Amino acid sequence: MKHHPWTGGFVNEALGVRITSDPAALLPVEDLVGLALRRNPRRAHLLVSRVLAKHVPTEPALVLAAGELLGALAGAALGSKVDDAVLRGVAAELAAVLEDGERTAGSRRANDGGRHAAPRTPRARLQYARERLWDLPVSHPEVVTIGYAETATGLGRLVADMLGSYYIHSTRHAPEGAVAYGAFEEAHSHATSHRLLPVDPAQLNSPGPVVLVDDELSTGATVINTITELHAAAPHPLYVVASLIDLRSDADRARFDELADELGCSIRVVALGTGSIELGEDILARAENLIGGLSDSPAGAAGSASAPGTVTLLEDTARSLRSDRFGNRAGISSDYLGTLPDALPGAVSAESLALVASRISAALPASAESVLVLGCEEFIHVPLTIANAVAEALPGASVRFSTTTRSPIVPIDRPDYAIANAVDFASHDLTEDGPGPRHAYNVGPRRTADGSSSTTGFDCIVLLPEPGTDPASITGPGSVTEALRAVTGAVVVVLLPADVPADWTGSAAAAVPLTGPEFGSYAPEDVTWLLKDLRDAQLEAPTAEREAAIQSGGANYAESLPMEYLPSAQYQDLYEEALRRSAPRVASAVGTVTELALSARNREPVLVSLARAGTPIGILMRRWAQRMHGLDLPHYTMSIVRGVGMDETALRYLARTYSPERILFVDGWTGKGAITRELTAALDKFEATDGVRFSSELAVLADPGHSVELFGTREDYLIPSACLNSTVSGLVSRTVFNKDLIAPDDFHGAKFYAHLAGADVSRDFLAAIERHFDDVRPEAEAAAASLAAADRTPTWVGWQAVERLSEEYGIHNVNLVKPGVGETTRVLLRRVPWKVLVHPGALEDVAHVLLLAEQRGVPVEEVPDLPFSCVGLIHPRFTAGAVGADGRAVAAAAPGADA
């Protein structure tokens, strides 16, 4: 055995509990666990993990590395091709840290052919190991990962993060109004009832694989109960069980195979350590006698500090957190180095971590050399990442991480036993089984290995209760802080706010608006998204397939998404040049339309932009009103879909929140005026069904189609935001209306392409336009005054031109004719283009259109009498017969029929 003495030695000798490791496993089981005695009539012994930090204060980076290694194994079980040499090399680093313990690890070479020398310090070793894992191709966003409460809630999140999957953990909490998706029993546990409380049950009903994460597999009975329950609700083809250790017997393993055959699915098991465990005869009776003989031993109590420690409360250190018990999306570990982006509601961003760590560091006693960060019961992952951040911020201190627990364990202060001491206190969480005693282990001083003296324990303990905890419940006699201040000189309590679901029934109230940075890259004050987050849905399809489905009538264009376009370096240069050239003109148009909008809505409009082209325009209008008039206008963005109408859930939200007279809809530009007509028809329908009348007045930056009365200009020139897709629109996709994903009371959906952050110019575009606001203010105000006195009645010249072009080019379908610079750009980026028509005098303004046409092999025709700068024609013969506006197929001799 590598480390001496083994912390399972006492139970091994006293009760005959023997562990045998499989030599083929990544790590010996004895490296991963010690043993202790339970106060539990169902099971006498407890496997005490050395890498989980549930009962043993542990280096945070060791916990992170072990969880991520388990996640890599799960990814391999899901089908990823993972280099076994990398896994074994990482396992060797973990083994070295576990062997060396508190000592500085010696220099060795990792199992990578001798190319890199492993770092010397334990934390550096672990960081090196984690970085090797992050390079593995184990992304599986299609799966659902479930962790088991309470021990494996943090471990499950680490596995989910490696896979990039949705994550939820079972819970014994009982939130008011919660509706359980399912429940299952853990027979040997001190508290047996587990429940799943997803806010969005559709995630668990998805047909993809499920990953179940626990810290140990003894018999596998809990996993069998879980799979049976899940499969009855919604069958899944594959279940991957990921555990730190697997000690099932051959008979227990056979039960997994039998269940898989019975359900018609596959069940695969991965673990860091595998082996077997032998229990002596009559172990429950012998354990009871052994514990009885120890009950009066003073070694069982934690040592006391010389005087009760101080208690410091830190509040408002991070944004509100949505517990993983309600279900959260996860990220990829290599993207965030141990934390998660703010886009994930159950996490804290790198910036938040740094802030929390600095606040904690400032609150610690100046003399603190050893610090314990202590999570509470099911609240593990965020405290773990905070502990890791504190360790980074305090390189000269010894920082360890652990959590409180409900498990009653017998403490014995001896080096060959896993639990040296305990503090006990009253629970402060609302759980199904009601209040009861809770515990924290190994938090107080303990004897040295030779038993000659007592160590000092921790200089300070940082407690992170469940977010939303009432401070009164964790202070005073019998509380957790009273118990902790008896064994340390200082207790720092970090109180985090909770984001608790407001509705569990799927009613309209469940449609919750989104803001950045959780959704989209715009600042939260710039826009509120009345959209459903579909970032995990597989919606992208090749352009050809989408066009075939759209033109054949088999699908609406909004049921799927085009493959997201990332510009080439040449095209990006064109965008930058277009932005530089047209920014003053765009700024002037923003000012003009905003002045008209303020006048139209008594200086208090609620701007509601039509996603996504309208979103940046709405933000710019809001910024103009704020900069020029000191007005803080609300700004929302919502979906409108041609052929479907407006998002009625979003309209109901607006009707509940504001006076309908204040609402002003905003878009980027008009072409033939199809969206203007769609808007009017949708609002007429909404008035008939809901009795609420919104004005169909639409404000746009540019109205070359002459179909609205509120506009900044009627010139057809390049609005630079039309050049790009999500990277200039807050990293948000075009909106989606797919009944498989959008329930009747959901907002329409969209995807947040967070992985494109490196190419995002959304905020830069806004800044480039806003930079000209002061300079163009006089001309914008003068233009607005002139337009206010002019006749702006729509003439619909755009629609008339489109009808003429549709006939002249033998298309016979106005939906396949897209007039204007913005719409032509969309044709080239998202559809199957046939031809591009360009006015000879606009060639300089449409340079990006000409480049796109060249790249896609689309012919360009110059048309001198064209009423727009350019027009894009979608291929009319992409299918066997494109259906015209009158419902008839195009004649066989139509132009392009042989293309």
Side-chain angles (χ1 to χ4, degrees):
M1 207 161 291
K2 295 180 181 178
H3 45 279
H4 300 282
W6 179 42
T7 56
F10 175 77
V11 176
N12 168 253
E13 293 297 328
L15 295 180
V17 177
R18 291 179 174 81
I19 292 175
T20 303
S21 293
D22 181 352
L26 286 180
L27 289 162
V29 176
E30 302 98 312
D31 276 11
L32 294 168
V33 298
L35 291 168
L37 300 171
R38 292 175 181 258
R39 296 188 188 274
N40 186 333
R42 299 180 184 89
R43 182 173 290 187
H45 69 285
L46 178 72
L47 297 164
V48 181
S49 177
R50 301 181 68 219
V51 297
L52 188 67
K54 186 60 183 174
H55 306 108
V56 178
T58 308
E59 160 64 58
L62 178 59
V63 184
L64 292 165
E68 290 163 356
L69 178 56
L70 185 60
L73 289 179
L78 289 164
S80 295
K81 294 182 179 179
V82 176
D83 187 348
D84 186 65
V86 173
L87 299 179
R88 294 196 174 275
V90 170
E93 297 296 337
L94 267 66
V97 172
L98 286 166
E99 176 184 355
D100 292 336
E102 298 295 326
R103 300 189 301 276
T104 299
S107 178
R108 356 182 137 184
R109 293 192 179 276
N111 185 14
D112 59 359
R115 289 171 295 172
H116 303 286
R120 297 184 59 86
T121 68
R123 278 192 62 81
R125 264 189 187 276
L126 294 165
Q127 184 64 21
Y128 167 78
R130 295 178 66 201
E131 290 173 358
R132 298 191 71 193
L133 292 171
W134 297 338
D135 290 333
L136 296 176
V138 293
S139 176
H140 288 275
E142 76 281 4
V143 310
V144 168
T145 301
I146 301 175
Y148 285 101
E150 65 183 44
T151 308
T153 59
L155 179 65
R157 181 59 178 266
L158 294 175
V159 171
D161 291 347
M162 280 296 289
L163 301 177
S165 74
Y166 170 87
Y167 177 60
I168 188 171
H169 66 70
S170 66
T171 183
R172 297 185 179 101
H173 277 232
E176 183 178 356
V179 178
Y181 175 90
F184 44 90
E185 295 298 309
E186 184 179 6
H188 65 264
S189 173
H190 175 67
T192 62
S193 180
H194 289 253
R195 297 195 304 162
L196 293 175
L197 305 177
V199 173
D200 183 8
Q203 295 284 349
L204 297 179
N205 290 333
S206 65
V210 172
V211 177
L212 301 169
V213 183
D214 209 351
D215 60 314
E216 65 173 86
L217 281 178
S218 297
T219 66
T222 305
V223 169
I224 288 175
N225 292 341
T226 307
I227 292 176
T228 301
E229 179 79 20
L230 292 174
H231 211 77
H236 302 273
L238 171 63
Y239 297 88
V240 173
V241 183
S243 180
L244 292 175
I245 59 171
D246 179 6
L247 299 179
R248 291 173 300 149
S249 66
D250 290 342
D252 293 328
R253 294 170 192 270
R255 291 178 63 202
F256 274 42
D257 296 335
E258 293 167 2
L259 179 63
D261 290 340
E262 176 186 339
L263 299 179
C265 64
S266 296
I267 301 175
R268 300 170 188 165
V269 180
V270 295
L272 302 189
T274 59
S276 60
I277 186 168
E278 296 179 49
L279 306 179
E281 294 183 4
D282 301 322
I283 186 172
L284 290 174
R286 290 188 295 113
E288 185 177 357
N289 291 334
L290 177 61
I291 293 171
L294 297 169
S295 60
D296 295 328
S297 170
S304 299
S306 56
T310 60
V311 176
T312 302
L313 298 181
L314 299 181
E315 299 186 73
D316 300 325
T317 55
R319 66 187 181 90
S320 298
L321 299 178
R322 174 69 62 89
S323 171
D324 285 332
R325 69 175 59 92
F326 305 131
N328 282 318
R329 293 170 182 85
I332 304 298
S333 295
S334 57
D335 289 343
Y336 56 79
L337 303 181
T339 182
L340 293 170
D342 257 339
L344 306 172
V348 289
S349 67
E351 293 79 7
S352 295
L353 275 180
L355 172 63
V356 173
S358 65
R359 291 281 305 277
I360 291 173
S361 300
L364 297 177
S367 59
E369 297 181 355
S370 59
V371 178
L372 173 65
V373 177
L374 191 65
C376 287
E377 297 191 48
E378 295 177 9
F379 186 48
I380 298 178
H381 179 262
V382 170
L384 168 62
T385 57
I386 289 174
N388 194 53
V390 172
E392 293 289 342
L394 300 174
S398 172
V399 178
R400 294 294 179 262
F401 173 70
S402 186
T403 73
T404 68
T405 176
R406 59 171 56 216
S407 298
I409 308 172
V410 178
I412 308 173
D413 192 357
R414 51 184 297 160
D416 59 351
Y417 187 79
I419 303 297
N421 53 63
V423 294
D424 307 316
F425 45 90
S427 61
H428 52 266
D429 293 331
L430 179 62
T431 56
E432 273 205 305
D433 56 348
R438 300 294 187 262
H439 320 277
Y441 297 109
N442 293 327
V443 298
R446 66 179 300 174
R447 285 197 295 264
T448 55
D450 60 7
S452 60
S453 62
S454 176
T455 61
T456 58
F458 292 100
D459 298 327
C460 181
I461 297 177
V462 179
L463 177 71
L464 285 104
E466 185 82 30
T469 295
D470 181 358
S473 69
I474 55 173
T475 56
S479 68
V480 60
T481 54
E482 284 298 293
L484 294 177
R485 66 196 291 255
V487 296
T488 189
V491 177
V492 176
V493 182
V494 181
L495 295 171
L496 302 174
D499 176 8
V500 179
D503 184 88
W504 299 85
T505 63
S507 67
V512 179
L514 305 171
T515 58
E518 293 178 356
F519 185 87
S521 62
Y522 291 129
E525 61 271 18
D526 276 336
V527 61
T528 298
W529 306 85
L530 300 181
L531 295 172
K532 180 179 180 179
D533 189 348
L534 299 179
R535 80 183 74 185
D536 294 333
Q538 300 301 310
L539 290 165
E540 288 79 3
T543 302
E545 292 181 13
R546 295 186 72 250
E547 194 65 44
I550 294 167
Q551 289 198 28
S552 67
N556 186 283
Y557 73 97
E559 292 180 20
S560 63
L561 290 172
M563 306 301 289
E564 182 65 10
Y565 174 85
L566 283 180
S568 65
Q570 183 182 11
Y571 188 83
Q572 188 72 37
D573 290 343
L574 268 179
Y575 162 78
E576 297 291 347
E577 174 58 21
L579 179 60
R580 183 195 64 76
R581 188 174 65 249
S582 62
R585 190 157 49 164
V586 172
S588 179
V590 167
T592 300
V593 71
T594 306
E595 295 296 331
L596 290 175
L598 292 174
S599 177
R601 292 294 184 276
N602 196 31
R603 296 179 63 83
E604 56 174 13
V606 175
L607 304 177
V608 181
S609 56
L610 303 179
R612 71 184 167 184
T615 307
I617 307 307
I619 294 174
L620 288 168
M621 290 176 66
R622 181 185 184 279
R623 290 188 177 186
W624 178 280
Q626 188 174 52
R627 183 171 184 142
M628 302 306 173
H629 302 286
L631 300 175
D632 192 14
L633 302 182
H635 175 218
Y636 296 85
T637 198
M638 65 172 290
S639 170
I640 184 170
V641 175
R642 181 170 51 81
V644 173
M646 301 190 76
D647 181 349
E648 293 187 353
T649 300
L651 291 177
R652 292 185 184 104
Y653 175 89
L654 293 169
R656 290 195 307 268
T657 310
Y658 299 97
S659 171
E661 293 78 21
R662 293 183 60 192
I663 303 300
L664 177 63
F665 296 102
V666 175
D667 206 357
W669 56 85
T670 66
K672 56 182 173 285
I675 289 299
T676 308
R677 295 188 176 196
E678 192 80 44
L679 176 73
T680 300
L683 294 177
D684 288 343
K685 177 187 174 187
F686 188 76
E687 181 181 20
T689 58
D690 288 59
V692 177
R693 181 66 203 181
F694 292 102
S695 171
S696 59
E697 202 168 31
L698 178 65
V700 300
L701 189 69
D703 179 35
H706 291 244
S707 61
V708 300
E709 294 186 17
L710 296 178
F711 53 85
T713 181
R714 275 181 166 158
E715 295 179 42
D716 182 24
Y717 65 87
L718 174 62
I719 299 171
S721 58
C723 290
L724 303 176
N725 282 332
S726 70
T727 53
V728 77
S729 304
L731 296 182
V732 174
S733 75
R734 200 215 63 236
T735 59
V736 173
F737 181 74
N738 186 316
K739 291 183 178 179
D740 291 337
L741 300 170
I742 307 299
D745 291 323
D746 283 343
F747 294 135
H748 288 189
K751 296 188 73 168
F752 174 28
Y753 295 119
H755 64 285
L756 300 181
D760 188 24
V761 295
S762 302
R763 295 195 182 196
D764 293 340
F765 169 75
L766 300 174
I769 304 302
E770 190 176 8
R771 196 174 298 124
H772 297 277
F773 278 3
D774 291 333
D775 293 337
V776 303
R777 182 177 186 177
E779 67 180 84
E781 291 178 341
S786 176
L787 287 172
D791 181 5
R792 290 170 281 144
T793 304
T795 61
W796 298 92
V797 296
W799 192 276
Q800 297 164 17
V802 165
E803 287 183 327
R804 177 173 56 82
L805 291 170
S806 176
E807 296 303 313
E808 286 181 4
Y809 284 83
I811 296 175
H812 311 301
N813 183 352
V814 293
N815 291 330
L816 301 183
V817 181
K818 302 295 185 180
V821 180
E823 293 303 308
T824 304
T825 303
R826 288 179 168 184
V827 169
L828 291 165
L829 291 179
R830 304 182 193 169
R831 306 294 291 271
V832 177
W834 178 36
K835 295 181 180 181
V836 171
L837 313 180
V838 180
H839 192 287
L843 293 176
E844 184 179 52
D845 271 347
V846 298
H848 77 290
V849 169
L850 301 179
L851 175 62
L852 280 176
E854 179 183 0
Q855 290 177 340
R856 297 202 61 179
V858 179
V860 176
E861 292 184 15
E862 293 187 18
V863 181
D865 62 344
L866 197 67
F868 296 93
S869 295
C870 58
V871 174
L873 304 182
I874 296 173
H875 207 302
R877 291 289 299 165
F878 186 74
T879 59
V883 177
D886 59 357
R888 294 177 297 178
V890 179
D898 59 348

